[in-house]
Amino acid sequence: MLCCPLRTRPRILSRPAHVAPLALILLATACSDDGQERRRSLGETPTFADVMRVADAERGGRLFGQCAACHTISPGAGDRNGPGLYDVLGKPVASNSRRYGYTGALRSLGGTWTPERMDLWLSAPAKLAPGTSMSFRGLPDPLDRADLIAYLRTQSSGGAEAHPSRP
């Protein structure tokens, strides 16, 4: 029996439905932003405003996966081990959820969740509010924090335009 070369090709290539997901994975991997290009554009000593200018809200949404263990982000979603964070930027600190039991450390912090204050919080929560119950150590990378803040800005009733960063 002779073997036809057309019948021996790999099965994955013979089914277009299998090729599309594979192509998307390869494309996403080839085009993924590891931040190097954005970091180069910032120069040696970028300001918070500089970092926010190159922030990537989509990447911040992926980073929010870490936060989702304790926080929700959808409108009307309940609290978990931490308060819901939908529309948190622009609100007074320790006020985003009526049901959540904020610690005295966070309540005594006062002020408003501005992008700049959120950056300080995300860098080291326990340093900004000693005694907080938030066990998250923080994000040391300013670009990661900026991406996450850009995402939080999109998760509000007014969208990203409602919470511009002040230079």
Side-chain angles (χ1 to χ4, degrees):
M1 176 175 180
L2 293 174
C3 182
C4 175
L6 295 176
R7 292 182 185 230
T8 60
R9 66 183 177 186
R11 295 185 81 153
I12 194 166
L13 296 178
S14 65
R15 295 188 178 150
H18 289 48
V19 174
L22 179 61
L24 287 175
I25 291 169
L26 292 173
L27 181 62
T29 305
C31 297
S32 69
D33 175 21
D34 64 358
Q36 295 307 318
E37 187 174 318
R38 292 186 297 150
R39 286 179 209 291
R40 278 192 296 273
S41 74
L42 290 172
E44 291 294 316
T45 54
T47 64
F48 175 73
D50 294 335
V51 179
M52 285 305 297
R53 271 193 285 282
V54 299
D56 181 347
E58 187 175 320
R59 183 171 176 273
R62 292 189 301 272
L63 289 171
F64 188 81
Q66 298 175 58
C67 311
C70 297
H71 298 278
T72 60
I73 194 71
S74 302
D79 301 322
R80 291 186 181 156
N81 287 341
L85 297 179
Y86 178 77
D87 209 17
V88 69
L89 290 174
K91 297 270 178 78
V93 172
S95 72
N96 205 50
S97 172
R98 293 183 185 141
R99 298 176 303 269
Y100 187 74
Y102 294 97
T103 61
L106 198 56
R107 286 192 314 267
S108 67
L109 190 60
T112 302
W113 283 122
T114 63
E116 295 83 0
R117 179 168 259 183
M118 186 61 73
D119 181 59
L120 291 172
W121 174 255
L122 291 172
S123 68
K127 186 175 178 182
L128 185 64
T132 183
S133 62
M134 187 160 155
S135 61
F136 181 65
R137 290 182 143 183
L139 291 171
D141 185 344
L143 195 54
D144 286 347
R145 294 192 307 267
D147 290 346
L148 188 53
I149 292 165
Y151 173 70
L152 289 174
R153 288 171 65 191
T154 67
Q155 300 302 306
S156 69
S157 54
E161 301 78 32
H163 307 289
S165 178
R166 294 180 209 118

